[in-house]
Each structure stands twice: as C-alpha cells, then as structure tokens.
Amino acid sequence: MRLELFAISGIPEVHPGDDVGAILAQAAQAAGDELRESDIVLIAQKIVSKSEGRFRVLSTIIPSPEALDLAKRCGKDARKVQAILDESSAILRVSNAAPDGIIIARHKCGWVSANAGIDESNLGSTEGQLLLLPIDPDASASRIAESIFRCTGQRPGVIVTDTFGRPWRKALVNVALGTSNVPPIISWVGKTDAYGRRLNVSEQALADELAAASGLLMFKNAGTPAVVVRGLQWDRATNASCRDYVRPVEQDLFT
C-alpha cells in the first residue's frame, strides 16, 4: 500500500467572497496535478474562514463584565476575551500562562480548544483583526467539494482542518473540523484483529489521521494551505460530519 501527499502550489491570498473550490481546482490544474474523484483535499481552516468573511475587528468589540473579569485572570485583551465568549458555549479553564494567557473553551460546534479557535496569525498586514472558525465547517467542506465538481467534473473528498492542542501532550496537530464525503470515524467493532481476536471498542479517526498527515506539508510560513492525499482507498459517506467527533459532555473525563 502506498499513499501520495502533495501541497497544491500557487494558491493566491484568499479574500471574503472568494470561491475556494474554484481557486484550488485552478491552482491544481496549473501545476499539472488535476484533482481526481478518488483524491481527498485537505484545506486549512484559515482560507475557508477568510473566504467566508469570518473576521472581527478589535476596535468594534465592547467587553462585557464577564470578559473584563476573565481578562484580569488570564492577562488577555478583554476584547479578545469577549470574542472568545461569543464563539463559545462554555469556558472550561483559564490560565495566565505566557505570552498572553490561555482560555480553554467549548466552541459552539462542540470542539474543546484554546481560545475557541480564534487566530491572529497569517492575516496580512491588517492590525487588530481576529479570524474565527467557520460557522458550519461541514457545510463549508460540502460547498468547496461542489465547487470543485463544477470546475472539474470530479468530486474529491474534502476535509477542513485546523491545529489543536491535546490533553496531556504538548504542541499542536492538525485535526478535522469539517468533511464532505470522507467518513470521520471507521468502526472496527465486531471485526477481528490480525490474530483473530474480536475488537470491541476500536474506532479509527480517519479524517483526523488524514488531517494530521496534511499538517506535514502545511508549513506556517510557506503559503501551502491545501494538501491532496492520493492513492488511499476509502468509502464515501454521503452524510459524513465531523461533529461525530464531539464526545458527549457526560463522557468527558478531561474537562
């Protein structure tokens, strides 16, 4: 078994209203790597959020009393804290760790991450802007897949990714936030291992594994926000959703 991973080169700066699927299809074609039906295209959340206009401007944010209180506890700009509150369903942990504090929040989509996934890096020269996660990453992935199909006649799988931290482990890894056609989880329950033993709990986080692999080519300073996985045999799932990854609160042993 052999897989090929390659970054799509020549992707321009993405702005609100841009058609990400068309941009990727055209860039892949120009590079001589036309997208195929069997490919899986992994796309950094950042360009998806940019295309959807998911910006907030610090100067327009008025902090609430809760934001002001949290800002005192963690050292963040209270306006940033307010943006985190607005994107979250719950605040789980607050720390004044360097450089400007950390807030672990449960995003409205269910993800548990630092600062509700809000980012300030790679936003160009504009100061005072924040970039939020897509409102519905699964829908974003589906729109991009449909756009690629319109441009090429091919409908590859699409996964929207972002970098998250992990409980008990340092550093970041790419994970899947949204998917189109690629199943996020493959269950091995009821099947047997290599020695014939029955598997009772094993589930493979396929979309997350693919997202992690794409992170090897999504360098933070290289402008390579889209990676193609080619050669993987995978089964389409028409109702695939990365919300399947969200662990019910009553099963959460970490927060």
Side-chain angles (χ1 to χ4, degrees), residues 35-181:
L35 298 176
R36 305 174 184 175
E37 191 88 6
S38 57
D39 290 341
I40 297 175
V41 184
L42 297 110
I43 308 163
Q45 159 270 325
K46 190 153 292 180
I47 66 169
V48 177
S49 291
K50 285 181 177 180
S51 73
E52 296 177 359
R54 293 286 288 153
F55 293 99
R56 290 197 71 177
V57 180
L58 280 176
S59 61
T60 67
I61 300 174
I62 301 175
S64 65
E66 181 181 7
L68 292 169
D69 178 63
L70 288 173
K72 290 179 181 178
R73 292 167 56 190
C74 70
K76 279 189 178 300
D77 185 319
R79 299 169 298 177
K80 295 181 184 179
V81 175
Q82 185 61 54
I84 294 169
L85 288 172
D86 292 342
E87 290 295 297
S88 304
S89 61
I91 301 300
L92 306 177
R93 297 285 188 275
V94 178
S95 170
N96 63 355
D100 70 340
I102 298 173
I103 294 177
I104 303 299
R106 180 173 288 113
H107 190 272
K108 290 177 179 178
C109 288
W111 323 120
V112 174
S113 66
N115 308 320
I118 294 175
D119 199 1
E120 297 176 81
S121 63
N122 285 317
L123 297 185
S125 59
T126 303
E127 294 292 332
Q129 277 195 330
L130 306 175
L131 189 66
L132 317 180
L133 297 183
I135 293 174
D136 184 343
D138 287 323
S140 300
S142 294
R143 285 192 295 270
I144 293 169
E146 182 62 29
S147 175
I148 292 173
F149 177 72
R150 289 195 302 269
C151 292
T152 66
Q154 305 291 310
R155 195 186 299 272
V158 171
I159 296 174
V160 177
T161 75
D162 196 13
T163 50
F164 275 25
R166 289 111 7 113
W168 316 126
R169 297 179 74 87
K170 291 183 178 180
L172 303 172
V173 68
N174 261 19
V175 300
L177 294 186
T179 181
S180 174
N181 288 321

Side-chain angles (χ1 to χ4, degrees), residues 112-255:
V112 174
S113 66
N115 308 320
I118 294 175
D119 199 1
E120 297 176 81
S121 63
N122 285 317
L123 297 185
S125 59
T126 303
E127 294 292 332
Q129 277 195 330
L130 306 175
L131 189 66
L132 317 180
L133 297 183
I135 293 174
D136 184 343
D138 287 323
S140 300
S142 294
R143 285 192 295 270
I144 293 169
E146 182 62 29
S147 175
I148 292 173
F149 177 72
R150 289 195 302 269
C151 292
T152 66
Q154 305 291 310
R155 195 186 299 272
V158 171
I159 296 174
V160 177
T161 75
D162 196 13
T163 50
F164 275 25
R166 289 111 7 113
W168 316 126
R169 297 179 74 87
K170 291 183 178 180
L172 303 172
V173 68
N174 261 19
V175 300
L177 294 186
T179 181
S180 174
N181 288 321
V182 183
I185 297 173
I186 296 177
S187 176
W188 285 78
V189 175
K191 300 178 182 180
T192 56
D193 67 12
Y195 297 93
R197 297 186 183 90
R198 188 181 188 277
L199 300 170
N200 296 315
V201 295
S202 297
E203 291 184 316
Q204 179 185 3
L206 176 64
D208 273 350
E209 289 180 329
L210 292 166
S214 74
L216 298 172
L217 297 177
M218 287 185 183
F219 304 117
K220 298 297 185 184
N221 61 354
T224 54
V227 170
V228 177
V229 173
R230 181 166 290 170
L232 178 70
Q233 297 201 5
W234 56 286
D235 295 323
R236 290 179 178 268
T238 55
N239 295 317
S241 171
C242 280
R243 291 191 186 236
D244 290 351
Y245 282 135
V246 177
R247 190 181 297 277
V249 174
E250 60 272 16
Q251 296 178 11
D252 188 344
L253 303 182
F254 294 100
T255 59

